[in-house]
Amino acid sequence: MVDVPALVAQAREGRPRAVARLISLVEGASPQLREVMAALAPLTGNAYVVGLTGSPGVGKSTSTSALVSAYRRAGKRVGVLAVDPSSPFSGGALLGDRVRMSEHASDPGVYIRSMATRGHLGGLAWSAPQAIRVLDAAGCDVILVETVGVGQSEVEIASQADTSVVLLAPGMGDGIQAAKAGILEIGDVYVVNKADRDGADATARELNHMLGLGEARAPGDWRPPIVKTVAARGEGVDEVVEALEKHRAWMEERGVLAERRRARAAREVETIAVTALRERIGDLHGDRRLDALAERITAGTLDPYAAADELIASLTGQ
Amino acid sequence: MVDVPALVAQAREGRPRAVARLISLVEGASPQLREVMAALAPLTGNAYVVGLTGSPGVGKSTSTSALVSAYRRAGKRVGVLAVDPSSPFSGGALLGDRVRMSEHASDPGVYIRSMATRGHLGGLAWSAPQAIRVLDAAGCDVILVETVGVGQSEVEIASQADTSVVLLAPGMGDGIQAAKAGILEIGDVYVVNKADRDGADATARELNHMLGLGEARAPGDWRPPIVKTVAARGEGVDEVVEALEKHRAWMEERGVLAERRRARAAREVETIAVTALRERIGDLHGDRRLDALAERITAGTLDPYAAADELIASLTGQ
């Protein structure tokens, strides 16, 4: 058994191995999962969670890396969660150089973790929020959650961030693709990356039009900004950070941040509860309680609805 | 509100409108669903449920009609549940003449009901067993459940019968198709219909081979018979009834019938319980309990797992 309090203390000191170990414990439905989650609870709620999503090829990893650099310059501790089945991020903290993330691999103020969809009980909707809790409790000031944004679950994860960044690139018919994937509605900040290429202005205009940004809004409503970047050269990245900080300040002022976090917590509880109930019912195959109920139904002394009520009641008595 | 006891009494007298009304009540998630199910429970358990499945074109409707005639000659009351989105059966009891079922439409000893997949809460896996209960309680001696047998849910329904009949026809490459659809394993009785066509013997041989019927079995094991029929002319239908009665007697001797019925009831309870739990969790969106739990999580005083436990406990208190 793992000494959870010691592990949590080490993680808070910034030891990457302790963080890695904790994430593995919460990812893998370990018997100590509950102990870990209970230990983390009082330490969470400080990190600012930013979701980054967009189609492959828009430069997500490069943008994430550039944002890490910007936050590091500001002295922040940064966590990166790369949620992508096809991600170049591997297991712990090592990265392919093609994503320019290697510069952060030896930085103790940065923790990078990849997350694949395979094999996780309940999928990423279940495990990503847990990993965010670990990074939060470990003292990260900012957590960047990078998702592919093509599948339903990726969009769901991105939409659970405090602030969602939607990335596009010019000349990819990307606006329409993004609209199809359902990621256009979730952006709090839009980034047109590779802005040195032809068509960047056209993409920004198209986006502006699709989002109805030219239309009147109620005073005090958030108007998502569109920021142009060349992430590979770091251009425009400070403007992205500025837009994020503005959105955060706007959310704090209006109570939106607390509201989003409550909604995220509620979804997390629901996901855990549904998974747990399904498992409990699954476990009942061949169980005496279910057999006994079935026996009474076939004898005509109980109807299936009353039996289902009894079953549900017995599930909670466990 | 419907007078349920009166309706049940009328159904038991064989009034088709009362039967139709009861099925509509159990299909449609009516507020009186539980009342109906409770009233039916003590009246069920008498009907012999036969599932008929096979690819389109094998003559399922014709075979069902021929079986109805055979059971009617023996003085049995017969219920037919046609589970098929593309079924020619419509709503209550009227049928297209192409299926030769119209001869039974005016027979008070026969109740025919079609069931489509559209719009039913939880799908057919949820509503078909309920309709079977109504027909059972209404005094049907035999209930023929006809399904297409291409989708997972149709196979599931067919496999929940007391006895499952798998129909094939010659010259359709049908053995392999049936194997693919997963219906070959569920047959207790196999019927090669349209046996006056070329290739009927070859189909029967192929089937015999695929099922390993030539191989040795433990004494007392059920060896599924293969019966050849020309249902349109009624040929071989008495042999099918004979095979069904043999299978029923075999099941009763060995306790298999009671076992199958318990398994069917258990699956029914599970389906209802899972549907109910999902609905209850769905209902909690914006509910104070979930909001309060989320509030405590964001405050760091509760972890999501402990919250899920509380949520599950509160669901059963309803």
Side-chain angles (χ1 to χ4, degrees):
Chain A
M1 299 289 274
V2 176
D3 183 348
V4 172
L7 203 60
V8 170
Q10 286 164 18
R12 285 182 71 76
E13 286 165 15
R15 297 206 203 165
R17 279 195 194 173
V19 176
R21 193 74 192 277
L22 283 172
I23 293 184
S24 296
L25 285 171
V26 299
E27 266 187 349
S30 132
Q32 286 181 284
L33 174 63
R34 281 162 171 274
E35 191 187 348
V36 172
M37 294 308 283
L40 297 178
L43 308 173
T44 56
N46 304 308
Y48 173 46
V49 181
V50 178
L52 291 107
T53 191
S55 306
V58 297
K60 272 192 310 297
S61 294
T62 311
S63 297
T64 303
S65 182
L67 278 173
V68 171
S69 299
Y71 277 115
R72 289 300 292 143
R73 281 197 298 273
K76 307 282 189 190
R77 286 184 65 188
V78 184
V80 176
L81 198 63
V83 179
D84 184 350
S86 65
S87 169
F89 295 78
S90 66
L94 290 179
L95 299 160
D97 55 0
R98 82 166 178 87
V99 289
R100 302 171 55 92
M101 200 66 128
S102 51
E103 58 180 294
H104 305 297
S106 59
D107 181 346
V110 180
Y111 186 84
I112 300 161
R113 176 83 175 199
S114 71
M115 234 171 185
T117 42
R118 56 186 142 73
H120 288 130
L121 185 71
L124 287 167
W126 183 83
S127 51
Q130 328 267 41
I132 290 172
R133 286 185 167 271
V134 171
L135 294 173
D136 186 357
C140 289
D141 300 299
V142 179
I143 299 170
L144 304 174
V145 182
E146 182 192 323
T147 62
V148 161
V150 284
Q152 180 57 37
S153 67
E154 283 89 353
V155 171
E156 209 175 303
I157 291 159
S159 67
Q160 286 183 26
D162 294 330
T163 298
S164 290
V165 179
V166 173
L167 289 122
L168 298 97
M172 296 177 65
D174 213 63
I176 290 148
Q177 278 191 2
K180 273 189 193 161
I183 59 172
L184 265 197
E185 302 89 58
I186 63 166
D188 301 304
V189 172
Y190 292 86
V191 173
V192 178
N193 190 32
K194 303 184 181 178
D196 52 343
R197 292 195 184 172
D198 285 346
D201 287 332
T203 298
R205 269 197 309 274
E206 184 192 12
L207 190 57
N208 196 68
H209 176 72
M210 289 177 86
L211 294 169
L213 293 180
E215 292 160 25
R217 302 204 166 207
D221 271 12
W222 178 252
R223 188 185 296 265
I226 300 174
V227 185
K228 282 185 261 183
T229 61
V230 186
R233 293 202 300 262
E235 291 173 23
V237 175
D238 286 340
E239 285 77 2
V240 176
V241 172
E242 204 178 300
L244 293 174
E245 291 305 320
K246 253 191 202 159
H247 185 245
R248 183 188 191 167
W250 175 84
M251 286 194 296
E252 276 174 349
E253 254 170 47
R254 316 205 144 242
V256 174
L257 186 60
E259 202 182 279
R260 284 198 178 187
R261 288 180 173 182
R262 274 196 300 273
R264 188 165 75 212
R267 269 191 297 253
E268 212 178 328
V269 174
E270 272 187 70
T271 306
I272 294 167
V274 170
T275 306
L277 288 168
R278 269 202 207 130
E279 277 177 0
R280 289 186 192 178
I281 290 178
D283 286 346
L284 287 177
H285 281 292
D287 183 287
R288 272 190 210 164
R289 283 173 299 187
L290 190 54
D291 287 349
L293 291 170
E295 184 82 47
R296 288 162 63 197
I297 292 171
T298 54
T301 56
L302 189 71
D303 74 81
Y305 283 84
D309 288 342
E310 287 196 27
L311 180 65
I312 290 170
S314 81
L315 291 178
T316 64
Q318 284 191 332
Chain B
M1 299 290 275
V2 176
D3 182 348
V4 172
L7 203 60
V8 170
Q10 287 164 18
R12 285 182 72 76
E13 287 166 15
R15 297 207 203 163
R17 278 195 194 173
V19 176
R21 192 75 194 275
L22 284 172
I23 293 184
S24 297
L25 285 172
V26 300
E27 266 187 348
S30 132
Q32 287 181 284
L33 174 62
R34 283 163 170 273
E35 191 187 347
V36 173
M37 295 308 283
L40 298 178
L43 309 172
T44 56
N46 303 309
Y48 173 46
V49 181
V50 178
L52 292 107
T53 191
S55 306
V58 298
K60 272 192 310 298
S61 293
T62 313
S63 297
T64 302
S65 182
L67 279 172
V68 171
S69 300
Y71 276 115
R72 289 301 292 144
R73 281 195 299 273
K76 307 282 189 190
R77 286 185 64 189
V78 184
V80 176
L81 197 62
V83 179
D84 183 352
S86 65
S87 170
F89 296 80
S90 65
L94 290 179
L95 298 159
D97 57 358
R98 82 167 176 87
V99 291
R100 301 172 55 92
M101 200 64 129
S102 52
E103 58 181 294
H104 305 297
S106 58
D107 180 346
V110 181
Y111 186 84
I112 300 162
R113 176 82 176 200
S114 71
M115 232 171 187
T117 42
R118 56 188 142 73
H120 288 130
L121 185 72
L124 287 166
W126 183 83
S127 51
Q130 329 266 43
I132 291 172
R133 285 185 169 273
V134 172
L135 294 173
D136 186 358
C140 289
D141 300 298
V142 180
I143 299 170
L144 304 174
V145 183
E146 184 193 322
T147 62
V148 162
V150 284
Q152 180 56 38
S153 67
E154 283 89 353
V155 171
E156 208 176 305
I157 292 159
S159 66
Q160 286 182 25
D162 294 330
T163 298
S164 290
V165 178
V166 173
L167 289 122
L168 298 97
M172 298 178 64
D174 213 62
I176 290 149
Q177 279 191 1
K180 274 189 193 162
I183 60 174
L184 265 196
E185 302 90 58
I186 64 165
D188 301 304
V189 172
Y190 293 86
V191 172
V192 177
N193 190 33
K194 304 184 180 178
D196 53 343
R197 292 196 185 171
D198 285 346
D201 287 332
T203 297
R205 270 198 309 276
E206 183 192 13
L207 191 56
N208 196 68
H209 177 72
M210 289 179 86
L211 295 169
L213 293 179
E215 293 160 25
R217 303 207 165 205
D221 271 11
W222 178 252
R223 187 185 297 263
I226 300 173
V227 185
K228 282 184 262 182
T229 62
V230 184
R233 295 201 300 261
E235 291 173 23
V237 175
D238 287 340
E239 285 78 2
V240 176
V241 171
E242 205 179 297
L244 293 174
E245 292 304 321
K246 255 190 204 161
H247 184 244
R248 182 188 192 166
W250 174 85
M251 286 194 296
E252 276 174 350
E253 253 170 47
R254 315 203 146 241
V256 174
L257 186 60
E259 204 180 278
R260 283 197 179 187
R261 289 181 174 182
R262 274 196 301 272
R264 188 165 75 213
R267 269 191 297 252
E268 212 177 329
V269 174
E270 272 187 70
T271 306
I272 293 167
V274 170
T275 306
L277 288 170
R278 268 200 209 132
E279 277 177 0
R280 288 186 193 178
I281 290 177
D283 286 347
L284 288 176
H285 282 291
D287 184 286
R288 274 190 208 165
R289 284 173 300 187
L290 191 54
D291 287 348
L293 291 170
E295 184 82 47
R296 288 161 64 196
I297 292 170
T298 53
T301 56
L302 188 71
D303 74 81
Y305 283 84
D309 288 343
E310 287 196 27
L311 180 65
I312 290 170
S314 82
L315 291 178
T316 64
Q318 285 191 330

